[in-house]
Amino acid sequence: MPTTNAPDPARSSAAGSSATSSPGPSTAAVHAGEARQKPGFSLTDPIFASSTYTFPDTKSIIDFIEEKHPREEYGRYGNPGERVVEDKLAALEGGEQAVLFASGMAALVGLLMAHCSAGDEIVFFDECYHRSREFCRKHLTRFGVGFREVKTCDYAAMEAAITPKTKFLVSESPTNPHLSVVDVERFADLGRRRRVLTLIDATLCTPYNLKPLAAGVDFVLHSATKYLGGHNDLLAGTVIGRTELMEPVRNLRGIMGGVNSPHNAYLLERGLKTLALRMERHNANGLAVARFLESHPRVERVLYPGLESHPFHDVAARTMRGCGGLVTFFIKDSDWRRTADVVDAVKIPRIGPSLGGVESLIEQPLVMSYWNYSPQERQAFRIHDNMIRMACGIEDADDLIADLAQALDRT
Ligand SMILES: *Cc1c(COP(=O)(O)O)cnc(C)c1O
């Protein structure tokens, strides 16, 4: 679809549905969704920096409307470069259709607004991203959509919370910062049995580590700002699912307008090319750093699903290729200030929110995200004073470990 009115037969042929066996994650990351021959004989996809698209004459407009020719019309409804990224994301997840948004939150809002009406209810696992739950609790409720949350991975509690009005079951996996791992097959099965749509926010696992759609989940959502973009230089989000369920989402996006600039879409396409390579390193660094921290005398506890000590290690080992770069740990006998001293003493990870980029990041959740919360609220969210969250980048594990060692020994 990038340049002509006719569907492009070369589209996706390198790594798409016409291939006899489905390509591996690296091949898909590099080639899926892209035409074999591109405008100007360019190897890389061009950036179509255009807000609007022209027609040669009036008849062409009428043909476009009546015969639904696949071409662009206006930037809010689509851009050729954005479609390439959407096809690549759909291929990576093994889904029929991806819709790209300006951020992960725009994707969540777009999905829920497209499918929920007054009188419907949504049930969340309670460790989901706090802004996602806040949107439902404070805002969707104003439009008559009910909101409930139950303890994460308590499938019986989730089933008990389902009523005839329930429209969506929502979870994240792994969760942040506790890294609880949802058994996606069990979650999907619950939705199917009770005829409720299921959504997994798979930002932390990426399609490299887990394929929720293959497990039967209806929708996968990503903050592409994190691992998919991978370079801490863009914001984007996506929802992926069956075409019949994604069409209303695409139509609403065209009205709400939370779209990416063509330049941003290209940046995401470029980042995605190395997804599999980067994830291998994030997985290896996360595990190496978690093992080191678990053996350090100043560390009270480490949360990482790849460690045997993690409460969801078995589910992770059974369902995930790797556990990513996020590691949460607790400093022994330390109040928030002594914990902050450790954060301030590291030299390689920068101090800041977010995760999933090539640069390691470190933060104290109490300070970064929960400073204005009451002690009761922090306790409810299990945000402890001595908790540190490190998002391992793709640096050398030995360097990250040596840096953490000096920070722990010096403070
Ligand atoms: C960051 C994040 C979001 C929100 O995405 P944005 O791109 O920042 O809007 C949603 N879910 C998870 C799990 C995230 O980490």
Side-chain angles (χ1 to χ4, degrees):
M1 278 172 260
T3 49
T4 64
N5 287 356
D8 182 348
R11 210 68 199 280
S12 302
S13 62
S17 51
S18 61
T20 44
S21 63
S22 58
S26 289
T27 309
V30 175
H31 294 293
E34 296 184 36
R36 189 155 176 84
Q37 281 302 108
K38 296 175 183 175
F41 310 106
S42 171
L43 171 60
T44 56
D45 273 296
I47 298 169
F48 291 84
S50 190
S51 57
T52 192
Y53 301 85
T54 61
F55 295 84
D57 50 34
T58 302
K59 181 178 180 302
S60 306
I61 306 174
I62 296 168
D63 286 351
F64 166 68
I65 295 167
E66 290 189 347
E67 291 165 37
K68 298 193 163 53
H69 281 158
R71 54 152 285 166
E72 306 303 344
E73 172 194 356
Y74 181 66
R76 185 160 20 80
Y77 308 127
N79 172 282
E82 174 186 73
R83 288 183 203 278
V84 172
V85 178
E86 288 176 339
D87 286 354
K88 193 183 285 292
L89 288 166
L92 285 167
E93 280 292 355
E96 288 178 12
Q97 197 180 126
V99 175
L100 194 67
F101 284 88
S103 70
M105 282 312 299
L108 179 94
V109 171
L111 171 65
L112 295 181
M113 294 285 280
H115 280 285
C116 293
S117 304
D120 291 342
E121 290 175 355
I122 304 176
V123 185
F124 270 76
F125 275 153
D126 64 358
E127 288 174 16
C128 283
Y129 185 61
H130 65 291
R131 296 293 184 207
S132 304
R133 289 180 295 116
E134 183 179 355
F135 168 67
C136 295
R137 192 178 62 246
K138 284 201 195 153
H139 300 286
L140 268 190
T141 49
R142 295 190 288 115
F143 302 91
V145 177
F147 168 76
R148 293 157 184 255
E149 50 188 354
V150 299
K151 190 170 176 304
T152 298
C153 294
D154 188 339
Y155 304 94
M158 185 163 253
E159 179 149 24
I162 295 173
T163 74
K165 295 176 173 176
T166 307
K167 183 79 186 232
F168 264 98
L169 305 179
V170 183
S171 188
E172 195 172 308
S173 190
T175 64
N176 173 13
H178 296 96
L179 299 165
S180 302
V181 181
V182 172
D183 182 336
V184 278
E185 279 184 14
R186 196 167 170 188
F187 180 76
D189 180 61
L190 177 55
R192 258 197 313 257
R193 271 194 294 110
R194 303 297 301 268
R195 299 185 184 285
V196 180
L197 294 170
T198 45
L199 163 64
I200 289 283
D201 177 337
T203 298
L204 265 68
C205 54
T206 80
Y208 184 77
N209 283 333
L210 183 75
K211 294 274 177 52
L213 297 178
V217 168
D218 294 305
F219 298 99
V220 171
L221 183 141
H222 289 279
S223 167
T225 311
K226 315 293 169 52
Y227 289 114
L228 300 186
H231 292 73
N232 291 321
D233 58 2
L234 63 85
L235 283 118
T238 188
V239 187
I240 301 151
R242 295 193 295 285
T243 296
E244 95 230 39
L245 292 173
M246 291 311 301
E247 279 303 324
V249 179
R250 185 174 294 283
N251 291 336
L252 184 62
R253 185 194 64 174
I255 296 168
M256 288 180 25
V259 295
N260 286 275
S261 77
H263 294 81
N264 204 53
Y266 179 76
L267 211 51
L268 176 56
E269 179 183 345
R270 180 174 162 138
L272 279 168
K273 299 248 175 186
T274 54
L275 176 68
L277 270 178
R278 288 185 286 104
M279 289 314 297
E280 275 176 31
R281 179 61 71 89
H282 284 295
N283 287 346
N285 282 358
L287 186 59
V289 163
R291 287 217 168 108
F292 161 74
L293 289 168
E294 196 170 47
S295 71
H296 197 283
R298 282 206 64 206
V299 175
E300 173 190 297
R301 192 157 61 99
V302 182
L303 293 177
Y304 186 75
L307 294 177
E308 286 76 14
S309 58
H310 192 274
F312 294 98
H313 174 71
D314 289 349
V315 185
R318 183 158 47 81
T319 58
M320 294 173 70
R321 192 198 290 259
C323 295
L326 207 72
V327 181
T328 300
F329 59 106
F330 303 81
I331 307 298
K332 208 174 270 175
D333 304 322
S334 292
D335 59 9
W336 77 266
R337 266 181 198 286
R338 290 198 61 207
T339 306
D341 288 341
V342 178
V343 171
D344 290 340
V346 299
K347 296 189 168 125
I348 296 174
R350 315 293 175 88
I351 303 171
S354 199
L355 62 113
V358 293
E359 296 96 353
S360 288
L361 289 166
I362 195 163
E363 58 143 302
Q364 195 172 357
L366 168 81
V367 180
M368 187 64 74
S369 308
Y370 294 89
W371 193 247
N372 287 324
Y373 286 62
S374 69
Q376 292 80 2
E377 284 171 316
R378 286 177 198 153
Q379 198 174 4
F381 290 124
R382 294 192 293 137
I383 300 300
H384 302 281
D385 291 4
N386 63 340
M387 184 186 229
I388 295 177
R389 191 192 87 168
M390 176 156 160
C392 297
I394 63 162
E395 301 93 338
D396 294 287
D398 289 348
D399 292 335
L400 295 177
I401 288 169
D403 188 25
L404 286 166
Q406 68 78 25
L408 287 165
D409 296 342
R410 205 150 63 82
T411 53

